[in-house]
């Protein structure tokens, strides 16, 4: 190489560019891989980023950690394959196409055609590949872009099918109706770990509604509290806690009689008399002496105690429905049930149940035979709008209908109290629309069955820093729920499940060869538009028709969790390489992946092999803007990575990041 100049003319950035050119000229990285090919393998899994955006400091930080560890392992006598990966599927790509084509609803995609839509998606996934390669190479990272893997590749997708097929074979897959967090913006359910990614403090309405009891001596009404007025048209039951004390009280000034939990009387509105006689205050103190609540002196003025009973004594009492949309359920619904999930820390101690829109509501209504799973009606469509059955609000987006529903409740004389309150509410991490809870048919992995094994496998791994493993990740595993892995979308690996019209025959494809053999059709691509038309003749004979593929696709987290197998097309290729070197030696990503990629890696490896997917893990913190806020393109609150590299050099940036608390999962305020 040329001699290095000194003094004021020396430039670190230009010297680095000379070194990168020299590495390229002598094929340094390729030569290193060739020279070490017979040494013991050190397996590194590179988490695939989405190719729909440009690299930021978080990517450069994780890339630097990966580069340091893999270079070190090479220098200590290992062969370290380093293949770059791309996450090509899912909502980030679909959102871009929805914006480009002005698509707002699911039916617009179907009208356009899934084939045209998916090819639009395919067309943008590699848009930023050149920019990524330019930045990654410029920061001095050695990684193979030529032999990269993409989650949309046929071989990758076939291995994902194999993973699902093995889980199905082990009895770990089931189909169920479950109330799930649902994004009306993206028209799909989200998994519990996706929900955690975007909570916001927002104002929502809170109202108390009366439900008059049928044939009550005092014409009393149950009072329930809700923060989702849009669920009231679907009310089918009221739930109390059987162990709580409930009181029947008469409002001294309106004559209305209400039933609430004794310890929640303070939640009822306080109404002051227009004039107070000295004797009446004394009377109210006497009649309310047994009510143990806050705001006692005011409540004693407003309410007179008539009765006190246990929650269990209220069970099966019938009440008048608020709306008549579900009158066909009158024989079994519109009555009181009891369950311990009802708490005394908010509301009235009486919960209104709309089984299609609450996980506990659904469970309690099914258990108490308010309705059966088969006749559940979900009164809200995929776009978050009321169906025709809800005649007064048909076609309205549920959140927009809240005000009119409150007005309708008021017009019926059933509104006890209304207001608004600030609370933390989940929003879709992609469309930024508020999530709703909605009953949807989904395919699930039985994660709860694996809980003990997951916790045991976590103990076998080494983390930096260890407290993320011991606390954050351990707690997440301990509270793991069955994982809904199906989505009603388009541009992702399709579920390999074929079902007969009567539901009696189910075949799961675990390879392309199996699909070709059973269908007689040559398969060249596994995306929906190339396989949805393929049918399988029934094994019971032609009179039973054919099996068709279910419409669902995978949650793209299932794909990334399958990466250790799919990126080398296991078990169709590289069997010895995989089986000799699993679990992998090393992964490194950001703290947010404890509920994302680290979790799905652990779940799938535990389910398939009873082992963790990795042995060592470095978890970095988040890189924030200098003001402590999230780095934002719209706010322009951070300098471009290439500007910093051109001013100071990549080595300075790498050293700055690697010597900061961010490598110990703490946050870093980036200062140029």
């Amino acid at each position: 190489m040329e001699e290095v100049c000194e003094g004021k003319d020396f430039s670190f950035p230009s010297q680095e560019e000379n070194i990168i050119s020299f590495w390229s000229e002598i094929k340094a990285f390729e030569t290193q891989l060739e020279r070490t090919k017979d040494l013991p393998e050190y397996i590194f899994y590179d988490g695939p980023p989405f190719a729909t955006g440009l690299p930021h400091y978080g990517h450069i930080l994780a890339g630097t950690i990966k580069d340091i560890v893999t270079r070190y392992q090479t220098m200590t006598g290992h062969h370290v394959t380093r293949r770059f990966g791309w996450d090509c599927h899912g909502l980030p790509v679909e959102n871009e196409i929805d914006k480009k084509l002005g698509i707002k609803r699911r039916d617009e995609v179907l009208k356009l055609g899934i084939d045209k839509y998916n090819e639009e998606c395919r067309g943008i996934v590699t848009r930023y590949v050149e920019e990524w390669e330019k930045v990654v190479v410029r920061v001095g990272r050695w990684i193979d872009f030529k032999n990269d893997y993409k989650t949309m590749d046929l071989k990758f997708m076939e291995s994902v099918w194999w993973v699902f097929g093995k889980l199905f074979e082990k009895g770990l897959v089931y189909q169920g109706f479950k109330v799930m967090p649902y994004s009306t913006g993206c028209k799909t359910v989200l998994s519990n770990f996706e929900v955690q990614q975007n909570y916001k403090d927002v104002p929502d309405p809170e109202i108390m509604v009366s439900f008059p009891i049928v044939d009550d001596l005092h014409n009393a009404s149950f009072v329930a509290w809700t923060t989702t007025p849009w669920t009231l048209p679907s009310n089918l039951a009221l739930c109390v806690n059987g162990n709580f004390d409930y009181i029947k009280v008469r409002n001294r000034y309106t004559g209305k009689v209400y039933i609430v939990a004794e310890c929640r009387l303070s939640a009822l509105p306080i109404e002051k008399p227009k004039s107070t006689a000295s004797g009446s205050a004394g009377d109210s103190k006497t009649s309310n002496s047994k009510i143990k609540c806050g705001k006692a002196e005011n409540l004693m003025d407003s309410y007179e105690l008539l009765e006190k009973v246990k929650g269990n004594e209220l069970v099966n009492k019938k009440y008048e429905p608020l709306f008549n949309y579900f009158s066909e359920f009158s024989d079994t619904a519109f009555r009181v049930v009891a369950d311990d999930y009802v708490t005394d820390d908010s509301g009235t101690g009486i919960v209104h149940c709309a089984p299609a829109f609450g996980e506990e509501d659904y469970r309690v209504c099914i258990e108490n035979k308010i309705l059966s799973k088969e006749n559940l009606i979900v009164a809200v469509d995929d776009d978050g709008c009321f169906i025709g059955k809800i005649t007064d609000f048909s076609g309205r987006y549920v959140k927009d209908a809240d005000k009119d529903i409150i007005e309708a409740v008021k017009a019926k004389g059933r509104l006890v109290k209304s207001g608004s309150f600030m609370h933390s509410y989940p929003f879709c991490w992609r469309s930024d629309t508020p999530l709703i809870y909605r009953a949807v048919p989904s395919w699930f992995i039985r994660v709860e069955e694996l809980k003990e094994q997951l916790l045991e496998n976590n103990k076998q791994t080494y983390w930096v820093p260890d407290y993320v493993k011991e606390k954050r990740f351990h707690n997440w595993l301990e509270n793991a729920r069955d994982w809904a892995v199906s989505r009603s979308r388009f541009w992702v690996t399709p579920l390999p499940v074929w079902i007969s019209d009567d539901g009696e025959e189910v075949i799961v494809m675990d390879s392309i060869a199996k699909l070709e053999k059973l269908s007689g059709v040559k398969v060249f691509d596994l995306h929906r538009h190339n396989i949805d038309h393929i049918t399988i003749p029934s094994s019971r004979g032609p009179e039973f028709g054919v099996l068709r593929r279910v419409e669902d696709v995978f949650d793209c987290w299932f794909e990334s969790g399958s990466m250790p197998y799919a990126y080398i097309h296991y078990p169709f290729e590289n069997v010895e390489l995989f089986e000799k070197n699993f679990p992998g030696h090393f992964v490194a990503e950001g703290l947010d992946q404890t509920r994302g990629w680290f979790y799905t890696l652990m779940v799938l490896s535990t389910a398939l092999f009873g082992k963790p997917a990795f042995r060592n893990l470095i978890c970095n913190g988040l890189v924030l803007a200098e003001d402590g806020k999230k780095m934002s393109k719209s706010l322009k609150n951070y300098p471009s990575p290439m500007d910093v590299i051109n001013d100071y050099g990549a080595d300075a940036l790498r050293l700055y990041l690697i010597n900061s608390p961010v490598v110990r999962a703490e946050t870093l305020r980036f200062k140029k």
Side-chain angles (χ1 to χ4, degrees):
M1 289 184 73
E2 294 172 20
E3 288 200 13
V4 177
C5 61
E6 296 179 15
K8 60 182 173 58
D9 296 326
F10 181 80
S11 160
F12 277 106
S14 58
Q15 190 61 31
E16 288 174 355
E17 286 171 2
N18 291 339
I19 290 168
I20 289 166
S21 298
F22 176 65
W23 283 344
S24 175
E25 197 181 303
I26 65 166
K27 292 191 169 10
F29 176 46
E30 296 87 339
T31 306
Q32 184 193 71
L33 289 174
E34 178 61 28
R35 284 185 176 184
T36 57
K37 67 181 180 185
D38 296 325
L39 295 175
E41 292 289 340
Y42 184 86
I43 300 295
F44 153 64
Y45 298 143
D46 197 11
F50 286 114
T52 50
L54 292 166
H56 52 65
Y57 291 104
H59 295 120
I60 293 171
L61 164 65
T64 300
I65 293 169
K66 294 168 186 177
D67 195 47
I68 288 169
V69 172
T70 52
R71 281 176 183 269
Y72 173 78
Q73 289 298 334
T74 303
M75 291 158 71
T76 56
H78 295 92
H79 179 248
V80 189
T81 302
R82 283 153 273 179
R83 290 173 62 201
F84 205 83
W86 300 102
D87 204 338
C88 304
H89 284 149
L91 291 178
V93 183
E94 290 194 19
N95 267 354
E96 293 271 330
I97 297 306
D98 288 351
K99 283 181 203 161
K100 177 185 171 185
L101 303 179
I103 287 171
K104 296 268 192 304
R105 296 190 317 276
R106 179 182 175 80
D107 62 325
E108 292 172 339
V109 177
L110 300 174
K111 193 176 172 186
L112 172 72
I114 296 173
D115 55 343
K116 292 187 180 70
Y117 184 82
N118 276 357
E119 290 307 327
E120 285 277 356
C121 290
R122 195 194 299 271
I124 69 159
V125 291
T126 55
R127 184 170 59 189
Y128 292 120
V129 166
E130 280 182 30
E131 285 89 340
W132 268 84
E133 187 166 358
K134 182 180 166 189
V135 174
V136 171
V137 168
R138 181 62 189 85
V139 296
R141 186 178 173 194
W142 282 6
I143 191 153
D144 189 349
F145 278 98
K146 289 188 181 66
N147 298 304
D148 60 3
Y149 71 87
K150 297 183 180 74
T151 58
M152 67 178 184
D153 290 343
L154 181 66
K155 289 182 175 183
F156 193 101
M157 293 170 74
E158 184 178 26
S159 289
V160 172
W161 274 21
W162 172 81
V163 170
F164 186 79
K166 290 305 281 186
L167 300 184
F168 186 82
E169 201 180 287
K170 287 168 174 269
L172 291 171
V173 174
Y174 68 95
Q175 190 181 25
F177 231 130
K178 197 162 183 181
V179 177
M180 295 288 296
Y182 183 86
S183 167
T184 57
C186 295
K187 286 89 179 167
T188 190
V189 296
L190 299 183
S191 58
N192 286 312
F193 47 82
E194 286 174 295
V195 174
Q196 300 295 325
Q197 296 186 24
N198 192 18
Y199 268 82
K200 296 183 185 185
D201 287 331
V202 291
D204 262 327
E206 59 169 339
I207 62 171
M208 283 186 191
V209 181
S210 65
F211 294 85
I213 304 166
V214 174
D215 299 330
D216 183 76
L217 181 66
H218 299 99
N219 294 321
S221 296
F222 295 113
V223 178
W225 173 77
T226 183
T227 59
T228 52
W230 63 267
T231 62
L232 287 169
S234 297
N235 170 269
L236 290 183
L238 295 174
C239 191
V240 298
N241 189 311
N243 301 312
F244 289 178
D245 290 321
Y246 287 80
I247 51 174
K248 183 186 282 187
V249 292
R250 178 185 282 123
N251 187 303
R252 290 178 176 281
Y253 311 109
T254 64
K256 289 180 178 173
V257 181
Y258 297 136
I259 292 181
V260 294
E262 182 179 24
C263 55
R264 294 305 305 165
L265 178 66
S266 58
L268 286 177
I270 295 167
E271 299 187 46
K272 302 213 175 199
K274 286 173 186 169
S275 60
T276 306
S278 58
S280 64
D283 292 344
S284 78
K285 279 179 188 170
T286 307
S287 60
N288 283 280
S289 60
K290 291 183 182 175
I291 297 174
K292 300 170 281 187
C293 286
K295 304 183 188 173
E297 66 284 351
N298 292 324
L299 287 160
M300 288 173 191
D301 290 343
S302 290
Y303 293 99
E304 172 193 357
L305 177 65
L306 301 177
E307 275 180 32
K308 179 171 165 178
V309 294
K310 281 285 181 195
N312 282 329
E313 296 174 59
L314 300 173
V315 170
N316 286 327
K317 282 193 180 292
K318 297 280 282 185
Y319 63 87
E320 292 174 21
L322 185 58
F323 296 98
N324 61 2
Y325 307 126
F326 293 93
S327 53
E328 68 268 33
F329 293 106
S330 292
D331 289 347
T332 55
F334 311 117
R335 59 184 169 88
V336 176
V337 297
D339 194 89
D340 289 344
Y341 92 90
V342 178
T343 62
D344 59 4
D345 56 0
S346 61
T348 62
I350 301 174
V351 175
H352 121 74
C353 296
F357 306 112
E359 202 170 350
E360 298 289 7
D361 300 31
Y362 177 76
R363 176 183 62 78
V364 163
C365 286
I366 297 296
E367 284 175 5
N368 287 278
K369 296 183 169 50
I370 297 291
L371 78 169
S372 66
K373 289 178 183 179
E374 292 72 37
N375 59 16
L376 176 74
I377 296 172
V378 183
V380 173
D381 67 18
D382 290 347
D383 295 308
C385 300
F386 284 111
I387 62 173
K389 187 174 179 64
I390 312 301
T391 48
D392 300 302
F393 309 103
S394 175
R396 296 280 304 279
Y397 176 62
V398 291
K399 288 281 190 179
D400 294 342
D402 271 347
K403 282 183 182 171
D404 289 341
I405 290 169
I406 294 169
E407 281 304 311
V409 173
K410 189 176 180 181
K412 291 170 184 284
R414 306 273 288 264
L415 187 65
V416 177
K417 187 179 178 182
S418 67
S420 73
F421 80 125
M422 289 292 291
H423 67 148
S424 184
Y425 194 84
F427 279 66
C428 175
W429 63 288
R430 276 291 156 193
S431 63
D432 213 32
T433 50
L435 299 181
I436 63 172
Y437 280 77
R438 179 173 177 259
V440 284
S442 289
W443 292 83
F444 292 87
I445 307 297
R446 298 184 197 276
V447 177
E448 287 163 45
E449 268 186 31
L450 304 169
K451 198 176 293 184
E452 293 310 312
Q453 207 173 358
L454 285 167
L455 292 167
E456 186 53 43
N457 284 344
N458 187 37
K459 289 176 187 170
Q460 297 171 29
T461 59
Y462 179 78
W463 290 50
V464 176
D466 60 357
Y467 73 83
V468 178
K469 165 191 161 179
E470 303 293 347
K471 293 182 180 171
R472 189 182 175 109
F473 196 59
H474 174 89
N475 292 343
W476 189 245
L477 292 177
E478 203 162 48
N479 296 300
R481 313 280 280 280
D482 284 359
W483 175 14
V485 294
S486 58
R487 297 285 181 273
S488 51
R489 297 300 304 176
F490 307 98
W491 178 244
V492 192
T493 302
L495 247 67
V497 181
W498 269 254
I499 295 184
S500 58
D501 290 339
D502 61 7
E504 291 298 313
E505 272 184 275
V506 179
I507 298 177
V508 173
M509 304 298 163
D510 56 5
S511 68
I512 292 169
K514 183 175 179 179
L515 176 57
E516 289 181 338
K517 183 183 174 186
L518 292 176
S519 68
V521 177
K522 185 71 182 162
V523 176
F524 61 92
D525 179 76
L526 291 182
H527 288 95
R528 276 193 67 174
H529 56 296
N530 288 316
I531 64 163
D532 278 2
H533 65 282
I534 297 175
T535 58
I536 311 289
S538 171
S539 61
R540 295 172 291 170
E543 68 273 24
F544 290 96
V546 295
L547 283 70
R548 292 179 175 82
R549 198 189 72 80
V550 298
E551 287 191 351
D552 303 56
V553 295
F554 279 108
D555 170 5
C556 58
W557 287 104
F558 190 91
E559 292 183 323
S560 47
S562 303
M563 174 265 168
Y565 330 106
Y567 89 113
I568 54 171
H569 198 213
Y570 178 84
F572 307 100
E573 296 179 64
N574 300 301
V575 175
E576 188 181 351
L577 172 69
F578 174 78
E579 291 177 358
K580 274 189 177 176
N581 296 286
F582 187 78
H585 295 91
F586 171 58
V587 293
E589 298 296 339
L591 187 62
D592 52 339
Q593 296 302 332
T594 49
R595 292 174 176 181
W597 193 47
F598 301 156
Y599 176 72
T600 59
L601 283 174
M602 184 69 86
V603 167
L604 293 182
S605 66
T606 300
L608 290 168
F609 302 106
K611 298 177 182 178
F614 50 84
R615 304 175 209 196
N616 304 288
L617 185 152
I618 297 177
C619 184
N620 61 262
L622 301 178
V623 183
L624 303 174
E626 190 168 351
D627 59 5
K629 291 179 182 167
K630 191 176 175 183
M631 288 187 172
S632 159
K633 283 182 207 163
S634 56
L635 293 175
K636 294 180 178 162
N637 61 352
Y638 66 95
S640 148
M642 286 308 285
D643 285 351
V644 172
I645 290 167
N646 291 335
D647 286 351
Y648 300 110
D651 271 348
L653 176 57
R654 285 167 63 120
L655 281 166
Y656 168 70
L657 292 171
I658 216 71
N659 282 308
S660 76
V662 79
V663 296
R664 293 185 295 280
E666 295 175 31
T667 53
L668 168 68
R669 290 187 178 200
F670 189 90
K671 297 185 175 77
K672 185 173 175 180

